[in-house]
Amino acid sequence: MNYKEYMKSVEERLSIMTEEEKTKWIYSKARIAKEHERSKILNSLDEKQEFNLIIYEKDKIEKWCEKVEEGDVYFECSGYEEYSESYWDSDYVYDYYDPFGIIGELYKAFQVAEDLLLQKEYKESKMLNDRLLNLAFFVSDRDTGDWNELEFEEVLDKILTTFNYKRIALNLMYATYQTTKGKERTESLYRYLTWDMCKKTKIEEIFSIGPEELKKIDYFMEEWISFLTDMDGDRAGELLLEACLYQGGTNRLCEIARTKYLKHPVLFKYACEYFLDENKYAECEEIGIEAISVLSDNLIIRGEIADLTAEAAINLKHPDIVSKCYEAAFYSKSTLNSYLRLFELPNYNDIKKEAARYIETLPEDFTGYYNNKNKQMMV
């Protein structure tokens, strides 16, 4: 259940509850709250919330950031060879040290940013999170005296391995939603969602955090879909899938797939997968055949869509469609398996001869287009 469906259900249930029932429900939720959540719940019950004194440390944090940039505070490291079972199989690894308490200062600074968010100081919270996340940290090698520099994401990977990066990113995106509009907002949110550490984060997650319900979500989601359809890459395709399902389910997904397949053919594949999961074989076959007919023959993803469509056609007992899909899969994704499947077809003698001639035109080694960030356009 996505956020939109969830909130609709909440509104429907609240509308039939009496004031006494609502009070009991609120009391029950407050009673079972974890200890670390209690201050936030108490604050949420007050129209004018209490300010945590830590939010007044912004100037102190800025001075600390300047010290980081100037190299007055830094990490240290020491390297050594780490051997596995074989003497000749080793890696050079580093241990990192924090003599200036950088990790503790970062935790405090991000807490200040979250406190600002909870007090609805969205612009200040966004500026502080941006400032911290864009810091680069010097590292001094204890053994050689050399200096290196680590970006924030590298610090997360090597030193702050238990850091709740997702929570920080969501706070930043929530504040961005509240303080920007239009193209500036969609571009900023997309930039954050394409960070390596946010690859599994969904735009919908920002709707259920923060001190206030976000306004005009449906309007924003239409802007978001329009923006994403013009962006290249697999991450844009993933986010577009989420947005389409949020706004109109598989109907909206198929609608956008039909109009934006030149840039996002993966939407056809997503639609086929969703229909198969729901055992809607006729719908999967219909959208799959449509995709096969409009997508370029040399796209590997066309072959993957053909495989999904064939699965639906098998369940529907449509042998002619299965044959068409097997042929399409072979010419778009020429693997040994897709070639051998051609022998299952009734008229395989004619098909295999043409397929054999096609195989002779293929390069021995892969020479096609490949892009890790845009696999949906692989040929």
Side-chain angles (χ1 to χ4, degrees), residues 79-108:
Y80 57 93
E81 290 280 355
E82 185 174 72
Y83 294 92
S84 60
E85 294 181 3
S86 169
Y87 173 81
W88 302 108
D89 185 14
S90 66
D91 290 309
Y92 201 78
V93 297
Y94 286 93
D95 286 334
Y96 289 88
Y97 307 93
D98 184 18
F100 295 95
I102 292 175
I103 293 175
E105 292 297 327
L106 279 173
Y107 275 108
K108 287 193 292 185

Side-chain angles (χ1 to χ4, degrees), residues 27-45:
Y27 181 83
S28 174
K29 290 296 179 183
R31 182 182 63 81
I32 62 177
K34 304 295 182 183
E35 185 174 356
H36 69 275
E37 298 172 333
R38 291 173 183 171
S39 61
K40 289 182 180 179
I41 289 178
L42 288 173
N43 268 349
S44 70
L45 293 172

Side-chain angles (χ1 to χ4, degrees), residues 1 17 21 29 62 70 100 117 142 157 175 180 210 227 235 283 296 329 361 365:
M1 181 183 295
M17 292 174 68
E21 288 172 332
K29 290 296 179 183
E62 176 56 33
E70 293 167 2
F100 295 95
L117 183 83
R142 290 180 173 180
D157 183 53
T180 56
F227 171 81
R235 183 56 173 146
E283 290 88 341
S296 175
T361 69
D365 298 316

